[in-house]
Amino acid sequence: MAYDYFGLSIGALVIWGFVMASLMNIFFYVLAINKNLQTLSCSVILATSYGISDLSLSTQFHSSDFGVLLAYDVITIVCLLIARQILFKREKVQPVIVYCCLGLMINSALFLAMFVDSHLLGNYQPWGLWYFYSTTVNVIDLIMVGVVILNRDLLGIQLITRKLGRDKAAA
């Protein structure tokens, strides 16, 4: 079915985006255009994680694969946080770390919901959660690719949290 191939092509686009972002950040680092190691490490971790997870799953998707994807996202979050703590403890948190951790947490929650719905409850009829899952995971993945390339607060998440933090401190 054409819909199945569309999902595979979006996944390939996301992996390609992370690999290209990693190569770009390595290139920028070597040429001293941008020496941001947080962006470089985040892009390499994400490219590695998404590449390995894609290679480890078969094209015949099973409901248990949602659990595998959940595990990969949790491991990736842990790797990002360990890299942040060990390598960049004294540096300001870059938007790339915030967006990727937040995006992976949302994806993990959706993988868990789909795992429970399809594997544990045995629901194989598409309904609202399935459509929400497929749209949201793809949009978040594409936003993460954009943030890994640009390292900008595209949606204003850090700006909002800073303003909320100031408002609480003033009160």
Side-chain angles (χ1 to χ4, degrees):
M1 179 178 230
Y3 178 75
D4 294 334
Y5 294 117
F6 179 73
L8 290 174
S9 63
I10 291 290
L13 177 67
V14 169
I15 293 168
W16 180 82
F18 283 132
V19 170
M20 290 299 111
S22 295
L23 292 174
M24 181 193 77
N25 285 314
I26 290 168
F27 181 73
F28 284 177
Y29 187 79
V30 168
L31 293 180
I33 295 171
N34 185 354
K35 290 281 193 176
N36 190 338
L37 281 174
Q38 285 186 54
T39 306
L40 175 62
S41 64
C42 187
S43 64
V44 169
I45 289 169
L46 285 169
T48 304
S49 171
Y50 273 65
I52 291 172
S53 68
D54 187 58
L55 290 173
S56 67
L57 296 174
S58 70
T59 55
Q60 300 299 320
F61 199 79
H62 303 287
S63 61
S64 61
D65 290 343
F66 289 117
V68 174
L69 291 171
L70 171 64
Y72 274 113
D73 276 3
V74 170
I75 290 168
T76 305
I77 292 168
V78 169
C79 288
L80 287 172
L81 294 176
I82 288 172
R84 167 82 180 115
Q85 273 305 106
I86 292 174
L87 302 174
F88 316 112
K89 192 173 193 172
R90 291 180 174 79
E91 294 180 27
K92 179 184 162 203
V93 178
Q94 296 290 317
V96 67
I97 300 289
V98 173
Y99 274 80
C100 290
C101 284
L102 184 62
L104 289 168
M105 283 189 253
I106 293 169
N107 284 355
S108 296
L110 289 170
F111 289 140
L112 178 63
M114 289 298 293
F115 179 76
V116 169
D117 184 53
S118 62
H119 190 71
L120 298 181
L121 299 177
N123 185 7
Y124 295 105
Q125 295 298 319
W127 63 288
L129 173 66
W130 292 30
Y131 300 118
F132 179 73
Y133 156 81
S134 59
T135 303
T136 305
V137 166
N138 288 322
V139 168
I140 287 175
D141 283 348
L142 292 173
I143 288 172
M144 286 193 305
V145 169
V147 170
V148 167
I149 292 170
L150 300 173
N151 193 23
R152 298 281 184 261
D153 189 9
L154 297 177
L155 304 176
I157 292 173
Q158 285 188 305
L159 178 70
I160 292 169
T161 55
R162 267 188 258 125
K163 287 193 182 238
L164 290 175
R166 274 192 232 130
D167 291 344
K168 286 183 181 178

